[in-house]
Amino acid sequence: MHILNFHFQNSLMLYATLKLTHLVNICFCIAEDKAAQSLLNKLIRSNLVNTTNQVEVLQRDPNSPLYSVKSFEELRLKPPLLQGVYAMGFNRPSKIQENALPMMLAEPPQNLIAQSQSGTGKTAAFVLAMLSHVDPSNKWPQCLCVSPTYELALQTGKVIEQMGKFYPEVKLMYAIRGNKLERGMKLQEQIVIGTPGTVLDWCQKLKFIDPKKIKVFVLDEADVMIATQGHLDQSIRIQRMLPKTCQMLLFSATFEETVWNFAKRIIPDPNIIKLKREEETLDTIKQYYVVCNSKEEKFQALCNIYGAITIAQAMIFCHTRRTAGWLAGELSKEGHQVALLSGEMQVEQRAAVIQRFREGKEKVLVTTNVCARGIDVEQVSVVINFDLPVDKDGNPDNETYLHRIGRTGRFGKRGLAINMVDSKFSMNILNRIQEHFNKKIEKLDTDDLDEIEKIAN
Ligand SMILES: Nc1ncnc2c1ncn2[C@@H]1O[C@H](COP(=O)(O)OP(=O)(O)OP(=O)(O)O)[C@@H](O)[C@H]1O
């Protein structure tokens, strides 16, 4: 797919420069943190997340038949699009796509609110819908997609380019900062992807886009969108300029009340598709705790554990960046291949670290929770809480504990979790976590090699 005015290479260079200022201290800002997390997940994901949960569908018109498809052929896609889908390695629609695609491709167009966790095929679904609805002989924007950040817009743009590879008549334009167009010009590209502020300017102030000619409007990552100041209002202002006949689609990885309220406000008469995230449990996890007096003692206990059992890969969580950095240094000195995820790293550096760890190039990943939140590293069999998870009020963070060491049914492999306790305070946290999950956490004496060896069996 050819892009006028804005080549992807340029965009990457610009991205590299801009993100230097933009992404520093990313961990301290909730909205940016959410956006970064979402981008990280996209950058490191190589395939679909498959869940065993059933899709829940709420149809606007309960009397119309409910279509779902098991193959891409059934959708009667244009041949270059089917070719694009197969070239991407997709053999059949994902769970959410089975229901969402027929709805999005139906005539007359149907509005949709879809929620499912990251990696379940939402982006691919709406990209296919946009490409299907475009009339390439019309040289004006017909599909408009808004993403919460510059980086996420580029990422989705890449999917449009990939899927539209065999459909070169359809052109794409990025409505993102840095992409300056001549005043008075009218866009000829059929698909525009961008961030709310720039899209709004291009529709309203600069009039590069005639919003009345838009047939499909996509609001991606609604949960990240509403976390960013101003994006909610801008999205609503864009939506108000669109014709009544325009198909409106909203996607979100999570569905808290705020997202739901926003979705209902912006998508009239929606169909709703939900795919629940699989619950994690501690059922197949052996949990232990080790009593120490200082971080040095905790490190020694860790060395003893490493000396006694074979650990293929471990993830170690620390409370602060400082401890994580120190621990990674100490472990390296001991000859371990250590990867460190730290808050000051840019998002792509973090993605590269996780990727290397996933590939097994490093055996230990030391991280703070902020950095690792939302990232599933399923193959890790040992998780060490060098510091126990606490919330900002100093109470046990049970949810984080479960997320760090819990497993979904699918990855029900047995796992091992070791908690390091170094004070009355952390002992109290441990006890409360134990009570919360009603699961015993056994004491482990790390000076006793025989005892450590036993836990590996
Ligand atoms: N039908 C399919 N078959 C195989 N792979 C697929 C299919 N649909 C999507 N994928 C791949 O699965 C991964 C996740 O898909 P996608 O990015 O569309 O999910 P998502 O729900 O939008 O996730 P996120 O919210 O993180 O963007 C991508 O690598 C994508 O190429």
Side-chain angles (χ1 to χ4, degrees):
M1 180 174 281
H2 179 68
I3 310 159
L4 286 180
N5 299 320
F6 203 84
H7 287 282
F8 196 67
Q9 284 297 327
N10 293 345
S11 69
L12 277 183
M13 267 169 52
L14 188 66
Y15 170 22
T17 344
L18 287 169
K19 82 187 164 162
L20 267 175
T21 44
H22 185 58
L23 288 174
V24 171
N25 291 335
I26 202 154
C27 291
F28 296 116
C29 172
I30 293 168
E32 279 196 11
D33 184 30
K34 270 194 148 186
Q37 211 182 87
S38 177
L39 185 64
L40 258 182
N41 274 323
K42 279 181 204 273
L43 292 175
I44 56 183
R45 173 160 303 113
S46 49
N47 42 38
L48 206 56
V49 168
N50 261 317
T51 77
T52 50
N53 280 337
Q54 281 310 307
V55 176
E56 216 182 286
V57 183
L58 265 158
Q59 269 191 296
R60 183 172 56 102
D61 175 4
N63 297 322
S64 82
L66 179 66
Y67 290 110
S68 81
V69 288
K70 294 285 178 207
S71 73
F72 286 110
E73 275 83 7
E74 288 172 68
L75 292 165
R76 307 198 177 286
L77 298 169
K78 288 174 186 145
L81 289 181
L82 194 60
Q83 206 183 345
V85 165
Y86 286 140
M88 286 177 85
F90 300 178
N91 297 324
R92 67 184 73 82
S94 70
K95 245 188 186 155
I96 191 108
Q97 290 165 0
E98 285 180 2
N99 295 289
L101 283 170
M103 247 176 212
M104 288 195 283
L105 301 179
E107 281 301 336
Q110 310 228 358
N111 291 348
L112 174 68
I113 295 176
Q115 179 256 325
S116 67
Q117 81 187 75
S118 156
T120 46
K122 300 185 293 298
T123 307
F126 71 72
V127 166
L128 193 54
M130 287 200 293
L131 285 164
S132 298
H133 284 303
V134 153
D135 179 347
S137 60
N138 291 335
K139 310 285 182 219
W140 59 75
Q142 300 156 40
C143 301
L144 194 55
C145 174
V146 289
S147 280
T149 65
Y150 180 97
E151 296 80 9
L152 288 166
L154 284 185
Q155 209 56 33
T156 303
K158 254 191 350 198
V159 181
I160 304 176
E161 288 174 39
Q162 258 183 312
M163 206 175 272
K165 197 166 127 194
F166 302 100
Y167 201 13
E169 311 89 288
V170 178
K171 311 236 186 297
L172 167 70
M173 175 59 95
Y174 291 91
I176 45 185
R177 70 187 133 84
N179 196 8
K180 297 262 176 280
L181 307 182
E182 246 174 68
R183 275 194 175 258
M185 79 168 281
K186 296 275 176 238
L187 290 189
Q188 301 202 341
E189 291 77 4
Q190 293 88 349
I191 303 181
V192 179
I193 171 141
T195 45
T198 309
V199 168
L200 186 62
D201 274 355
W202 284 20
C203 288
Q204 202 170 40
K205 205 159 78 196
L206 299 162
K207 303 204 181 331
F208 296 149
I209 302 170
D210 180 356
K212 288 278 165 271
K213 289 184 174 167
I214 299 294
K215 297 196 284 192
V216 183
F217 175 60
V218 178
L219 223 151
D220 192 20
E221 312 238 10
D223 47 350
V224 183
M225 194 75 91
I226 61 164
T228 313
Q229 188 75 27
H231 275 12
L232 191 151
D233 289 340
Q234 285 164 338
S235 304
I236 288 175
R237 284 169 62 197
I238 298 167
Q239 192 263 12
R240 284 198 187 132
M241 285 189 271
L242 306 172
K244 287 235 156 20
T245 50
C246 176
Q247 181 177 34
M248 316 259 175
L249 310 168
L250 178 141
F251 298 84
S252 180
T254 59
F255 237 130
E256 50 269 27
E257 195 62 22
T258 44
V259 183
W260 187 232
N261 290 339
F262 171 62
K264 282 192 297 197
R265 232 176 118 188
I266 204 159
I267 310 290
D269 303 324
N271 294 287
I272 297 162
I273 298 184
K274 280 188 195 176
L275 179 60
K276 282 212 191 81
R277 202 190 162 94
E278 251 177 294
E279 298 290 330
E280 283 153 338
T281 76
L282 295 174
D283 288 348
T284 53
I285 311 294
K286 289 197 278 183
Q287 301 175 75
Y288 293 92
Y289 73 94
V290 179
V291 180
C292 307
N293 288 309
S294 62
K295 72 173 192 297
E296 286 76 16
E297 267 191 43
K298 292 203 269 188
F299 172 64
Q300 192 49 52
L302 195 58
C303 292
N304 293 355
I305 294 169
Y306 262 101
I309 59 173
T310 312
I311 299 178
Q313 273 197 309
M315 224 164 145
I316 307 180
F317 288 93
C318 299
H319 194 58
T320 63
R321 263 194 241 179
R322 212 161 137 209
T323 312
W326 170 82
L327 182 61
E330 294 299 304
L331 283 164
S332 297
K333 280 190 225 155
E334 287 290 310
H336 292 282
Q337 295 157 278
V338 187
L340 173 66
L341 268 191
S342 188
E344 65 273 7
M345 278 179 181
Q346 285 160 27
V347 118
E348 277 146 327
Q349 288 176 309
R350 284 195 251 163
V353 169
I354 295 168
Q355 189 65 50
R356 286 175 57 80
F357 182 66
R358 284 201 159 166
E359 287 164 6
K361 292 191 175 126
E362 268 106 20
K363 307 291 178 216
V364 191
L365 179 68
V366 180
T367 178
T368 59
N369 198 50
V370 179
C371 282
R373 200 186 298 143
I375 294 159
D376 303 304
V377 187
E378 292 117 6
Q379 84 266 28
V380 175
S381 56
V382 180
V383 173
I384 292 165
N385 285 322
F386 199 78
D387 296 306
L388 287 161
V390 286
D391 64 18
K392 58 181 184 344
D393 303 319
N395 291 314
D397 186 345
N398 297 315
E399 200 186 317
T400 297
Y401 185 84
L402 180 65
H403 186 66
R404 282 182 188 177
I405 69 173
R407 296 287 149 88
T408 64
R410 276 171 306 137
F411 302 106
K413 291 183 288 190
R414 273 150 61 103
L416 182 61
I418 299 171
N419 298 291
M420 306 258 170
V421 168
D422 61 359
S423 61
K424 270 200 181 132
F425 172 76
S426 55
M427 193 65 226
N428 176 268
I429 298 288
L430 185 95
N431 286 331
R432 286 162 69 189
I433 289 177
Q434 192 168 236
E435 273 165 34
H436 176 87
F437 292 107
N438 197 19
K439 285 254 167 343
K440 188 147 178 60
I441 306 179
E442 305 278 353
K443 187 171 177 187
L444 178 69
D445 180 359
T446 48
D447 291 327
D448 184 342
L449 280 184
D450 292 340
E451 199 184 319
I452 310 178
E453 277 173 17
K454 276 191 224 144
I455 67 171
N457 302 319

